[in-house]
Amino acid sequence: MKLVITMSRRYGTGASRIAQELSERLGIPVYDKVNVEEEMSSHTYDSEVEVIKKLAENPCIILGRCASEILKDRRNAFNIYVCADKEDRIKRIMEKENLSREEASAKIDRTDQERADYYYEHTGKAWGDVNNYHMILNTSDLGVENCADILMKYFERKEYI
């Protein structure tokens, strides 16, 4: 199966690390906002949809960009949502970006709101709604370092890889 993984995530959950680990293990690329925007012919959502559909013609991991909704009808798309407790996210962002607790908390709130607004604007759906994903990973409970293992075992068991 030409597995395409979409990964929506709250800011500061460690999802980018999970995606990178999966990328290395599966030998497939990870695309994020920067990669998608580089491929766009114009800065419109329709152009973004075209790019995501084109990228999904081959196995890959797509972070954000409403990819779970754009690719919802594809049998080879597996949609993941990554969350974590806010306290864990604050600590991760403080360390990663050398921010104060207040700055990290504000950045998390702002980024999550931007992502929720973007998702709703383009899909009419609530970002993070469990009905839009095949699996939800809570890195506070599972640990960022364990999530790639969990996904690999699941993909193997389901014979996706």
mmCIF file of all heavy atoms in Angstrom, residues 4-10 13-23 29-37 48 52 55 60-68 70-71 78-82 96 115 118-119 127 133 151:
data_model
loop_
_atom_site.group_PDB
_atom_site.id
_atom_site.type_symbol
_atom_site.label_atom_id
_atom_site.label_comp_id
_atom_site.label_asym_id
_atom_site.label_seq_id
_atom_site.Cartn_x
_atom_site.Cartn_y
_atom_site.Cartn_z
ATOM 1 N N VAL A 4 -0.070 7.045 2.942
ATOM 2 C CA VAL A 4 0.060 8.486 3.134
ATOM 3 C C VAL A 4 -0.447 8.774 4.538
ATOM 4 O O VAL A 4 -1.582 8.439 4.874
ATOM 5 C CB VAL A 4 -0.758 9.277 2.087
ATOM 6 C CG1 VAL A 4 -0.724 10.767 2.396
ATOM 7 C CG2 VAL A 4 -0.256 8.989 0.679
ATOM 8 N N ILE A 5 0.417 9.358 5.347
ATOM 9 C CA ILE A 5 0.073 9.662 6.731
ATOM 10 C C ILE A 5 -0.154 11.156 6.857
ATOM 11 O O ILE A 5 0.700 11.942 6.455
ATOM 12 C CB ILE A 5 1.214 9.229 7.674
ATOM 13 C CG1 ILE A 5 1.466 7.726 7.543
ATOM 14 C CG2 ILE A 5 0.897 9.623 9.119
ATOM 15 C CD1 ILE A 5 2.778 7.268 8.174
ATOM 16 N N THR A 6 -1.305 11.531 7.381
ATOM 17 C CA THR A 6 -1.525 12.941 7.700
ATOM 18 C C THR A 6 -1.432 13.062 9.211
ATOM 19 O O THR A 6 -1.866 12.170 9.943
ATOM 20 C CB THR A 6 -2.891 13.471 7.207
ATOM 21 O OG1 THR A 6 -3.939 12.934 8.007
ATOM 22 C CG2 THR A 6 -3.110 13.136 5.738
ATOM 23 N N MET A 7 -0.837 14.145 9.653
ATOM 24 C CA MET A 7 -0.646 14.324 11.081
ATOM 25 C C MET A 7 -1.027 15.750 11.468
ATOM 26 O O MET A 7 -0.332 16.699 11.142
ATOM 27 C CB MET A 7 0.815 14.030 11.446
ATOM 28 C CG MET A 7 1.047 13.835 12.914
ATOM 29 S SD MET A 7 2.747 13.306 13.312
ATOM 30 C CE MET A 7 2.785 11.653 12.655
ATOM 31 N N SER A 8 -2.160 15.865 12.129
ATOM 32 C CA SER A 8 -2.580 17.139 12.699
ATOM 33 C C SER A 8 -2.061 17.145 14.126
ATOM 34 O O SER A 8 -1.962 16.103 14.760
ATOM 35 C CB SER A 8 -4.098 17.258 12.703
ATOM 36 O OG SER A 8 -4.606 17.191 11.388
ATOM 37 N N ARG A 9 -1.741 18.338 14.628
ATOM 38 C CA ARG A 9 -1.167 18.356 15.963
ATOM 39 C C ARG A 9 -1.337 19.682 16.650
ATOM 40 O O ARG A 9 -1.331 20.725 16.017
ATOM 41 C CB ARG A 9 0.306 17.987 15.932
ATOM 42 C CG ARG A 9 1.226 19.060 15.370
ATOM 43 C CD ARG A 9 1.399 18.901 13.883
ATOM 44 N NE ARG A 9 2.445 19.784 13.373
ATOM 45 C CZ ARG A 9 2.241 20.656 12.413
ATOM 46 N NH1 ARG A 9 1.052 20.818 11.877
ATOM 47 N NH2 ARG A 9 3.228 21.389 11.968
ATOM 48 N N ARG A 10 -1.474 19.597 17.944
ATOM 49 C CA ARG A 10 -1.422 20.797 18.767
ATOM 50 C C ARG A 10 0.035 21.212 18.854
ATOM 51 O O ARG A 10 0.936 20.376 18.787
ATOM 52 C CB ARG A 10 -2.006 20.546 20.151
ATOM 53 C CG ARG A 10 -3.499 20.293 20.091
ATOM 54 C CD ARG A 10 -4.156 20.634 21.409
ATOM 55 N NE ARG A 10 -5.591 20.513 21.277
ATOM 56 C CZ ARG A 10 -6.409 21.524 20.999
ATOM 57 N NH1 ARG A 10 -5.934 22.724 20.809
ATOM 58 N NH2 ARG A 10 -7.709 21.335 20.904
ATOM 59 N N THR A 13 3.552 19.422 20.879
ATOM 60 C CA THR A 13 3.295 18.026 21.263
ATOM 61 C C THR A 13 4.451 17.089 20.925
ATOM 62 O O THR A 13 4.467 15.953 21.396
ATOM 63 C CB THR A 13 2.039 17.480 20.559
ATOM 64 O OG1 THR A 13 2.238 17.550 19.150
ATOM 65 C CG2 THR A 13 0.798 18.247 20.967
ATOM 66 N N GLY A 14 5.364 17.540 20.087
ATOM 67 C CA GLY A 14 6.443 16.662 19.639
ATOM 68 C C GLY A 14 6.097 15.912 18.367
ATOM 69 O O GLY A 14 6.817 15.004 17.960
ATOM 70 N N ALA A 15 5.009 16.288 17.711
ATOM 71 C CA ALA A 15 4.569 15.588 16.505
ATOM 72 C C ALA A 15 5.604 15.649 15.378
ATOM 73 O O ALA A 15 5.749 14.684 14.625
ATOM 74 C CB ALA A 15 3.236 16.159 16.010
ATOM 75 N N SER A 16 6.325 16.745 15.281
ATOM 76 C CA SER A 16 7.351 16.843 14.233
ATOM 77 C C SER A 16 8.435 15.787 14.440
ATOM 78 O O SER A 16 8.935 15.219 13.468
ATOM 79 C CB SER A 16 7.978 18.238 14.223
ATOM 80 O OG SER A 16 7.008 19.195 13.881
ATOM 81 N N ARG A 17 8.781 15.528 15.686
ATOM 82 C CA ARG A 17 9.762 14.471 15.984
ATOM 83 C C ARG A 17 9.219 13.104 15.619
ATOM 84 O O ARG A 17 9.935 12.253 15.094
ATOM 85 C CB ARG A 17 10.168 14.503 17.465
ATOM 86 C CG ARG A 17 11.104 15.642 17.783
ATOM 87 C CD ARG A 17 11.556 15.690 19.230
ATOM 88 N NE ARG A 17 11.821 14.410 19.839
ATOM 89 C CZ ARG A 17 11.689 14.166 21.145
ATOM 90 N NH1 ARG A 17 11.299 15.122 21.962
ATOM 91 N NH2 ARG A 17 11.952 12.979 21.642
ATOM 92 N N ILE A 18 7.950 12.872 15.900
ATOM 93 C CA ILE A 18 7.312 11.598 15.554
ATOM 94 C C ILE A 18 7.325 11.424 14.035
ATOM 95 O O ILE A 18 7.673 10.357 13.518
ATOM 96 C CB ILE A 18 5.873 11.526 16.094
ATOM 97 C CG1 ILE A 18 5.869 11.593 17.620
ATOM 98 C CG2 ILE A 18 5.166 10.267 15.603
ATOM 99 C CD1 ILE A 18 4.510 11.880 18.229
ATOM 100 N N ALA A 19 6.950 12.484 13.322
ATOM 101 C CA ALA A 19 6.925 12.431 11.863
ATOM 102 C C ALA A 19 8.322 12.149 11.299
ATOM 103 O O ALA A 19 8.475 11.344 10.371
ATOM 104 C CB ALA A 19 6.378 13.735 11.290
ATOM 105 N N GLN A 20 9.323 12.789 11.851
ATOM 106 C CA GLN A 20 10.691 12.582 11.384
ATOM 107 C C GLN A 20 11.149 11.143 11.627
ATOM 108 O O GLN A 20 11.771 10.521 10.760
ATOM 109 C CB GLN A 20 11.652 13.570 12.065
ATOM 110 C CG GLN A 20 13.026 13.582 11.460
ATOM 111 C CD GLN A 20 13.012 13.902 9.969
ATOM 112 O OE1 GLN A 20 12.345 14.823 9.517
ATOM 113 N NE2 GLN A 20 13.720 13.114 9.188
ATOM 114 N N GLU A 21 10.819 10.612 12.780
ATOM 115 C CA GLU A 21 11.172 9.222 13.100
ATOM 116 C C GLU A 21 10.481 8.255 12.139
ATOM 117 O O GLU A 21 11.104 7.321 11.620
ATOM 118 C CB GLU A 21 10.787 8.915 14.544
ATOM 119 C CG GLU A 21 11.055 7.502 14.979
ATOM 120 C CD GLU A 21 12.522 7.173 15.213
ATOM 121 O OE1 GLU A 21 13.314 8.105 15.457
ATOM 122 O OE2 GLU A 21 12.872 5.984 15.147
ATOM 123 N N LEU A 22 9.199 8.478 11.879
ATOM 124 C CA LEU A 22 8.474 7.634 10.923
ATOM 125 C C LEU A 22 9.071 7.766 9.525
ATOM 126 O O LEU A 22 9.201 6.771 8.805
ATOM 127 C CB LEU A 22 6.995 8.018 10.888
ATOM 128 C CG LEU A 22 6.131 7.572 12.041
ATOM 129 C CD1 LEU A 22 4.726 8.146 11.895
ATOM 130 C CD2 LEU A 22 6.073 6.054 12.139
ATOM 131 N N SER A 23 9.416 8.978 9.155
ATOM 132 C CA SER A 23 10.021 9.226 7.852
ATOM 133 C C SER A 23 11.282 8.385 7.667
ATOM 134 O O SER A 23 11.467 7.746 6.631
ATOM 135 C CB SER A 23 10.350 10.712 7.712
ATOM 136 O OG SER A 23 11.130 10.950 6.577
ATOM 137 N N PRO A 29 9.191 10.832 2.618
ATOM 138 C CA PRO A 29 9.398 12.229 3.021
ATOM 139 C C PRO A 29 8.297 12.767 3.927
ATOM 140 O O PRO A 29 7.184 12.242 3.956
ATOM 141 C CB PRO A 29 9.388 12.982 1.685
ATOM 142 C CG PRO A 29 8.558 12.134 0.779
ATOM 143 C CD PRO A 29 8.794 10.707 1.218
ATOM 144 N N VAL A 30 8.664 13.824 4.655
ATOM 145 C CA VAL A 30 7.719 14.579 5.480
ATOM 146 C C VAL A 30 7.538 15.934 4.814
ATOM 147 O O VAL A 30 8.510 16.590 4.458
ATOM 148 C CB VAL A 30 8.253 14.809 6.909
ATOM 149 C CG1 VAL A 30 7.292 15.689 7.706
ATOM 150 C CG2 VAL A 30 8.492 13.509 7.629
ATOM 151 N N TYR A 31 6.297 16.344 4.654
ATOM 152 C CA TYR A 31 5.992 17.655 4.105
ATOM 153 C C TYR A 31 5.239 18.465 5.153
ATOM 154 O O TYR A 31 4.314 17.967 5.790
ATOM 155 C CB TYR A 31 5.135 17.535 2.842
ATOM 156 C CG TYR A 31 5.803 16.749 1.748
ATOM 157 C CD1 TYR A 31 5.317 15.504 1.368
ATOM 158 C CD2 TYR A 31 6.923 17.243 1.094
ATOM 159 C CE1 TYR A 31 5.925 14.773 0.359
ATOM 160 C CE2 TYR A 31 7.546 16.516 0.084
ATOM 161 C CZ TYR A 31 7.034 15.284 -0.272
ATOM 162 O OH TYR A 31 7.653 14.561 -1.265
ATOM 163 N N ASP A 32 5.622 19.720 5.295
ATOM 164 C CA ASP A 32 4.943 20.615 6.219
ATOM 165 C C ASP A 32 4.531 21.876 5.468
ATOM 166 O O ASP A 32 4.605 21.932 4.237
ATOM 167 C CB ASP A 32 5.817 20.925 7.437
ATOM 168 C CG ASP A 32 7.130 21.613 7.081
ATOM 169 O OD1 ASP A 32 7.313 22.036 5.913
ATOM 170 O OD2 ASP A 32 7.984 21.727 7.968
ATOM 171 N N LYS A 33 4.132 22.882 6.196
ATOM 172 C CA LYS A 33 3.651 24.130 5.595
ATOM 173 C C LYS A 33 4.673 24.710 4.612
ATOM 174 O O LYS A 33 4.313 25.108 3.513
ATOM 175 C CB LYS A 33 3.349 25.147 6.709
ATOM 176 C CG LYS A 33 2.872 26.480 6.208
ATOM 177 C CD LYS A 33 2.593 27.430 7.375
ATOM 178 C CE LYS A 33 2.123 28.772 6.867
ATOM 179 N NZ LYS A 33 1.836 29.700 7.960
ATOM 180 N N VAL A 34 5.928 24.736 4.998
ATOM 181 C CA VAL A 34 6.971 25.317 4.146
ATOM 182 C C VAL A 34 7.070 24.549 2.828
ATOM 183 O O VAL A 34 7.092 25.149 1.752
ATOM 184 C CB VAL A 34 8.336 25.326 4.878
ATOM 185 C CG1 VAL A 34 9.456 25.742 3.951
ATOM 186 C CG2 VAL A 34 8.280 26.236 6.087
ATOM 187 N N ASN A 35 7.117 23.215 2.904
ATOM 188 C CA ASN A 35 7.213 22.408 1.693
ATOM 189 C C ASN A 35 6.015 22.598 0.782
ATOM 190 O O ASN A 35 6.167 22.711 -0.440
ATOM 191 C CB ASN A 35 7.330 20.916 2.037
ATOM 192 C CG ASN A 35 8.478 20.610 2.940
ATOM 193 O OD1 ASN A 35 8.263 20.212 4.079
ATOM 194 N ND2 ASN A 35 9.700 20.795 2.479
ATOM 195 N N VAL A 36 4.831 22.625 1.358
ATOM 196 C CA VAL A 36 3.610 22.788 0.566
ATOM 197 C C VAL A 36 3.605 24.159 -0.106
ATOM 198 O O VAL A 36 3.335 24.282 -1.303
ATOM 199 C CB VAL A 36 2.348 22.577 1.428
ATOM 200 C CG1 VAL A 36 1.086 22.975 0.682
ATOM 201 C CG2 VAL A 36 2.265 21.119 1.898
ATOM 202 N N GLU A 37 3.933 25.205 0.660
ATOM 203 C CA GLU A 37 3.919 26.555 0.101
ATOM 204 C C GLU A 37 4.955 26.732 -1.009
ATOM 205 O O GLU A 37 4.730 27.482 -1.952
ATOM 206 C CB GLU A 37 4.124 27.594 1.197
ATOM 207 C CG GLU A 37 2.890 27.741 2.067
ATOM 208 C CD GLU A 37 3.030 28.753 3.191
ATOM 209 O OE1 GLU A 37 4.165 29.210 3.463
ATOM 210 O OE2 GLU A 37 2.002 29.084 3.794
ATOM 211 N N GLU A 48 -3.182 25.004 -2.631
ATOM 212 C CA GLU A 48 -2.665 24.140 -1.576
ATOM 213 C C GLU A 48 -3.272 22.741 -1.670
ATOM 214 O O GLU A 48 -2.573 21.732 -1.521
ATOM 215 C CB GLU A 48 -2.970 24.767 -0.214
ATOM 216 C CG GLU A 48 -2.290 24.107 0.930
ATOM 217 C CD GLU A 48 -2.370 24.919 2.211
ATOM 218 O OE1 GLU A 48 -3.248 25.789 2.342
ATOM 219 O OE2 GLU A 48 -1.534 24.660 3.084
ATOM 220 N N ILE A 52 -1.184 19.218 -2.157
ATOM 221 C CA ILE A 52 -1.321 18.103 -1.216
ATOM 222 C C ILE A 52 -1.767 16.839 -1.944
ATOM 223 O O ILE A 52 -1.226 15.747 -1.711
ATOM 224 C CB ILE A 52 -2.262 18.473 -0.058
ATOM 225 C CG1 ILE A 52 -1.543 19.482 0.852
ATOM 226 C CG2 ILE A 52 -2.721 17.240 0.725
ATOM 227 C CD1 ILE A 52 -2.408 20.132 1.894
ATOM 228 N N LEU A 55 1.292 15.565 -3.828
ATOM 229 C CA LEU A 55 2.254 14.946 -2.917
ATOM 230 C C LEU A 55 1.774 13.565 -2.483
ATOM 231 O O LEU A 55 2.566 12.629 -2.344
ATOM 232 C CB LEU A 55 2.490 15.824 -1.690
ATOM 233 C CG LEU A 55 3.191 17.161 -1.924
ATOM 234 C CD1 LEU A 55 3.167 17.997 -0.648
ATOM 235 C CD2 LEU A 55 4.618 16.953 -2.413
ATOM 236 N N CYS A 60 4.033 9.313 1.798
ATOM 237 C CA CYS A 60 4.611 10.477 2.466
ATOM 238 C C CYS A 60 3.893 10.727 3.783
ATOM 239 O O CYS A 60 2.910 10.063 4.099
ATOM 240 C CB CYS A 60 4.522 11.721 1.574
ATOM 241 S SG CYS A 60 2.848 12.297 1.236
ATOM 242 N N ILE A 61 4.412 11.694 4.510
ATOM 243 C CA ILE A 61 3.784 12.179 5.739
ATOM 244 C C ILE A 61 3.531 13.662 5.528
ATOM 245 O O ILE A 61 4.445 14.390 5.127
ATOM 246 C CB ILE A 61 4.705 11.973 6.961
ATOM 247 C CG1 ILE A 61 5.030 10.482 7.127
ATOM 248 C CG2 ILE A 61 4.057 12.555 8.223
ATOM 249 C CD1 ILE A 61 6.168 10.211 8.095
ATOM 250 N N ILE A 62 2.308 14.106 5.774
ATOM 251 C CA ILE A 62 1.969 15.515 5.613
ATOM 252 C C ILE A 62 1.523 16.048 6.971
ATOM 253 O O ILE A 62 0.568 15.546 7.568
ATOM 254 C CB ILE A 62 0.867 15.723 4.563
ATOM 255 C CG1 ILE A 62 1.287 15.130 3.217
ATOM 256 C CG2 ILE A 62 0.539 17.211 4.430
ATOM 257 C CD1 ILE A 62 0.206 15.132 2.159
ATOM 258 N N LEU A 63 2.241 17.058 7.441
ATOM 259 C CA LEU A 63 1.921 17.701 8.715
ATOM 260 C C LEU A 63 0.946 18.852 8.483
ATOM 261 O O LEU A 63 1.233 19.774 7.725
ATOM 262 C CB LEU A 63 3.186 18.246 9.378
ATOM 263 C CG LEU A 63 4.158 17.216 9.938
ATOM 264 C CD1 LEU A 63 5.468 17.880 10.331
ATOM 265 C CD2 LEU A 63 3.554 16.500 11.118
ATOM 266 N N GLY A 64 -0.194 18.782 9.130
ATOM 267 C CA GLY A 64 -1.155 19.880 9.087
ATOM 268 C C GLY A 64 -1.743 20.142 7.720
ATOM 269 O O GLY A 64 -1.962 19.230 6.933
ATOM 270 N N ARG A 65 -2.046 21.418 7.469
ATOM 271 C CA ARG A 65 -2.560 21.918 6.195
ATOM 272 C C ARG A 65 -3.906 21.329 5.799
ATOM 273 O O ARG A 65 -4.238 21.243 4.636
ATOM 274 C CB ARG A 65 -1.556 21.732 5.049
ATOM 275 C CG ARG A 65 -0.124 22.114 5.355
ATOM 276 C CD ARG A 65 0.087 23.403 6.089
ATOM 277 N NE ARG A 65 -0.498 24.558 5.426
ATOM 278 C CZ ARG A 65 -0.859 25.662 6.063
ATOM 279 N NH1 ARG A 65 -0.732 25.767 7.364
ATOM 280 N NH2 ARG A 65 -1.353 26.670 5.407
ATOM 281 N N CYS A 66 -4.696 20.861 6.746
ATOM 282 C CA CYS A 66 -6.010 20.244 6.488
ATOM 283 C C CYS A 66 -5.902 18.981 5.641
ATOM 284 O O CYS A 66 -6.873 18.547 5.025
ATOM 285 C CB CYS A 66 -6.971 21.230 5.820
ATOM 286 S SG CYS A 66 -7.283 22.747 6.717
ATOM 287 N N ALA A 67 -4.727 18.381 5.609
ATOM 288 C CA ALA A 67 -4.509 17.206 4.762
ATOM 289 C C ALA A 67 -5.448 16.059 5.127
ATOM 290 O O ALA A 67 -5.879 15.313 4.240
ATOM 291 C CB ALA A 67 -3.055 16.755 4.844
ATOM 292 N N SER A 68 -5.781 15.922 6.401
ATOM 293 C CA SER A 68 -6.699 14.846 6.794
ATOM 294 C C SER A 68 -8.052 14.993 6.105
ATOM 295 O O SER A 68 -8.660 14.002 5.699
ATOM 296 C CB SER A 68 -6.882 14.816 8.308
ATOM 297 O OG SER A 68 -7.406 16.037 8.779
ATOM 298 N N ILE A 70 -8.571 16.933 3.239
ATOM 299 C CA ILE A 70 -8.332 16.926 1.794
ATOM 300 C C ILE A 70 -8.244 15.500 1.268
ATOM 301 O O ILE A 70 -8.739 15.195 0.183
ATOM 302 C CB ILE A 70 -7.052 17.726 1.457
ATOM 303 C CG1 ILE A 70 -7.266 19.212 1.771
ATOM 304 C CG2 ILE A 70 -6.636 17.525 0.007
ATOM 305 C CD1 ILE A 70 -5.988 20.038 1.788
ATOM 306 N N LEU A 71 -7.644 14.613 2.050
ATOM 307 C CA LEU A 71 -7.403 13.234 1.604
ATOM 308 C C LEU A 71 -8.355 12.224 2.248
ATOM 309 O O LEU A 71 -8.132 11.018 2.158
ATOM 310 C CB LEU A 71 -5.951 12.848 1.917
ATOM 311 C CG LEU A 71 -4.886 13.753 1.307
ATOM 312 C CD1 LEU A 71 -3.504 13.348 1.802
ATOM 313 C CD2 LEU A 71 -4.951 13.731 -0.211
ATOM 314 N N PHE A 78 -3.946 7.669 6.196
ATOM 315 C CA PHE A 78 -4.139 7.353 7.605
ATOM 316 C C PHE A 78 -3.972 8.648 8.376
ATOM 317 O O PHE A 78 -2.892 9.251 8.376
ATOM 318 C CB PHE A 78 -3.111 6.305 8.062
ATOM 319 C CG PHE A 78 -3.393 5.793 9.446
ATOM 320 C CD1 PHE A 78 -4.323 4.780 9.649
ATOM 321 C CD2 PHE A 78 -2.728 6.318 10.533
ATOM 322 C CE1 PHE A 78 -4.597 4.319 10.929
ATOM 323 C CE2 PHE A 78 -2.991 5.855 11.816
ATOM 324 C CZ PHE A 78 -3.927 4.846 12.015
ATOM 325 N N ASN A 79 -5.045 9.097 9.018
ATOM 326 C CA ASN A 79 -5.076 10.402 9.677
ATOM 327 C C ASN A 79 -4.839 10.289 11.179
ATOM 328 O O ASN A 79 -5.573 9.592 11.871
ATOM 329 C CB ASN A 79 -6.419 11.085 9.415
ATOM 330 C CG ASN A 79 -6.702 11.214 7.933
ATOM 331 O OD1 ASN A 79 -5.810 11.479 7.145
ATOM 332 N ND2 ASN A 79 -7.940 11.006 7.545
ATOM 333 N N ILE A 80 -3.822 11.007 11.640
ATOM 334 C CA ILE A 80 -3.425 10.982 13.049
ATOM 335 C C ILE A 80 -3.572 12.385 13.635
ATOM 336 O O ILE A 80 -3.284 13.375 12.967
ATOM 337 C CB ILE A 80 -1.951 10.541 13.180
ATOM 338 C CG1 ILE A 80 -1.748 9.158 12.573
ATOM 339 C CG2 ILE A 80 -1.493 10.578 14.633
ATOM 340 C CD1 ILE A 80 -0.294 8.793 12.364
ATOM 341 N N TYR A 81 -3.994 12.430 14.884
ATOM 342 C CA TYR A 81 -4.036 13.688 15.625
ATOM 343 C C TYR A 81 -3.169 13.514 16.859
ATOM 344 O O TYR A 81 -3.313 12.534 17.601
ATOM 345 C CB TYR A 81 -5.472 14.037 16.035
ATOM 346 C CG TYR A 81 -5.600 15.387 16.692
ATOM 347 C CD1 TYR A 81 -5.603 16.544 15.925
ATOM 348 C CD2 TYR A 81 -5.696 15.502 18.065
ATOM 349 C CE1 TYR A 81 -5.717 17.791 16.526
ATOM 350 C CE2 TYR A 81 -5.813 16.738 18.675
ATOM 351 C CZ TYR A 81 -5.821 17.879 17.896
ATOM 352 O OH TYR A 81 -5.915 19.112 18.491
ATOM 353 N N VAL A 82 -2.239 14.449 17.066
ATOM 354 C CA VAL A 82 -1.317 14.368 18.195
ATOM 355 C C VAL A 82 -1.649 15.488 19.182
ATOM 356 O O VAL A 82 -1.724 16.657 18.800
ATOM 357 C CB VAL A 82 0.152 14.468 17.734
ATOM 358 C CG1 VAL A 82 1.094 14.315 18.921
ATOM 359 C CG2 VAL A 82 0.458 13.416 16.660
ATOM 360 N N LYS A 96 12.665 24.242 23.863
ATOM 361 C CA LYS A 96 12.993 24.279 22.434
ATOM 362 C C LYS A 96 13.275 25.691 21.938
ATOM 363 O O LYS A 96 14.182 25.911 21.135
ATOM 364 C CB LYS A 96 11.844 23.659 21.635
ATOM 365 C CG LYS A 96 12.076 23.613 20.151
ATOM 366 C CD LYS A 96 10.885 22.992 19.442
ATOM 367 C CE LYS A 96 11.093 23.033 17.938
ATOM 368 N NZ LYS A 96 9.889 22.625 17.220
ATOM 369 N N ARG A 115 -4.396 27.499 14.166
ATOM 370 C CA ARG A 115 -4.615 26.206 13.509
ATOM 371 C C ARG A 115 -6.098 25.838 13.503
ATOM 372 O O ARG A 115 -6.625 25.370 12.493
ATOM 373 C CB ARG A 115 -3.784 25.117 14.181
ATOM 374 C CG ARG A 115 -2.308 25.264 13.897
ATOM 375 C CD ARG A 115 -1.468 24.223 14.613
ATOM 376 N NE ARG A 115 -0.051 24.398 14.273
ATOM 377 C CZ ARG A 115 0.922 23.678 14.778
ATOM 378 N NH1 ARG A 115 0.662 22.714 15.657
ATOM 379 N NH2 ARG A 115 2.174 23.900 14.421
ATOM 380 N N TYR A 118 -7.867 28.122 10.970
ATOM 381 C CA TYR A 118 -7.513 27.730 9.603
ATOM 382 C C TYR A 118 -8.290 26.472 9.202
ATOM 383 O O TYR A 118 -8.882 26.412 8.121
ATOM 384 C CB TYR A 118 -6.001 27.469 9.513
ATOM 385 C CG TYR A 118 -5.530 27.127 8.137
ATOM 386 C CD1 TYR A 118 -5.193 28.129 7.228
ATOM 387 C CD2 TYR A 118 -5.425 25.806 7.718
ATOM 388 C CE1 TYR A 118 -4.767 27.820 5.954
ATOM 389 C CE2 TYR A 118 -5.001 25.495 6.446
ATOM 390 C CZ TYR A 118 -4.671 26.502 5.570
ATOM 391 O OH TYR A 118 -4.259 26.186 4.297
ATOM 392 N N TYR A 119 -8.307 25.488 10.084
ATOM 393 C CA TYR A 119 -9.002 24.234 9.786
ATOM 394 C C TYR A 119 -10.497 24.482 9.587
ATOM 395 O O TYR A 119 -11.096 24.005 8.623
ATOM 396 C CB TYR A 119 -8.766 23.231 10.928
ATOM 397 C CG TYR A 119 -9.161 21.817 10.580
ATOM 398 C CD1 TYR A 119 -8.261 20.967 9.952
ATOM 399 C CD2 TYR A 119 -10.429 21.331 10.868
ATOM 400 C CE1 TYR A 119 -8.618 19.665 9.623
ATOM 401 C CE2 TYR A 119 -10.801 20.037 10.538
ATOM 402 C CZ TYR A 119 -9.882 19.206 9.916
ATOM 403 O OH TYR A 119 -10.242 17.924 9.583
ATOM 404 N N TRP A 127 -11.347 21.452 14.412
ATOM 405 C CA TRP A 127 -10.008 20.885 14.453
ATOM 406 C C TRP A 127 -9.871 20.029 15.706
ATOM 407 O O TRP A 127 -10.258 20.436 16.791
ATOM 408 C CB TRP A 127 -9.005 22.037 14.461
ATOM 409 C CG TRP A 127 -7.570 21.703 14.517
ATOM 410 C CD1 TRP A 127 -6.857 21.000 13.600
ATOM 411 C CD2 TRP A 127 -6.643 22.102 15.526
ATOM 412 N NE1 TRP A 127 -5.542 20.941 13.978
ATOM 413 C CE2 TRP A 127 -5.381 21.612 15.157
ATOM 414 C CE3 TRP A 127 -6.755 22.840 16.703
ATOM 415 C CZ2 TRP A 127 -4.248 21.824 15.921
ATOM 416 C CZ3 TRP A 127 -5.625 23.060 17.467
ATOM 417 C CH2 TRP A 127 -4.383 22.548 17.068
ATOM 418 N N TYR A 133 -10.221 11.542 12.495
ATOM 419 C CA TYR A 133 -8.912 10.884 12.554
ATOM 420 C C TYR A 133 -9.059 9.391 12.808
ATOM 421 O O TYR A 133 -10.006 8.941 13.444
ATOM 422 C CB TYR A 133 -8.056 11.520 13.660
ATOM 423 C CG TYR A 133 -7.940 13.010 13.481
ATOM 424 C CD1 TYR A 133 -8.776 13.884 14.174
ATOM 425 C CD2 TYR A 133 -7.050 13.559 12.559
ATOM 426 C CE1 TYR A 133 -8.716 15.255 13.973
ATOM 427 C CE2 TYR A 133 -6.985 14.925 12.351
ATOM 428 C CZ TYR A 133 -7.817 15.767 13.057
ATOM 429 O OH TYR A 133 -7.766 17.119 12.835
ATOM 430 N N LEU A 151 3.022 3.410 16.224
ATOM 431 C CA LEU A 151 2.501 3.501 14.857
ATOM 432 C C LEU A 151 3.088 2.424 13.962
ATOM 433 O O LEU A 151 2.357 1.802 13.169
ATOM 434 C CB LEU A 151 2.772 4.896 14.283
ATOM 435 C CG LEU A 151 1.903 5.991 14.888
ATOM 436 C CD1 LEU A 151 2.469 7.370 14.566
ATOM 437 C CD2 LEU A 151 0.468 5.871 14.396
#
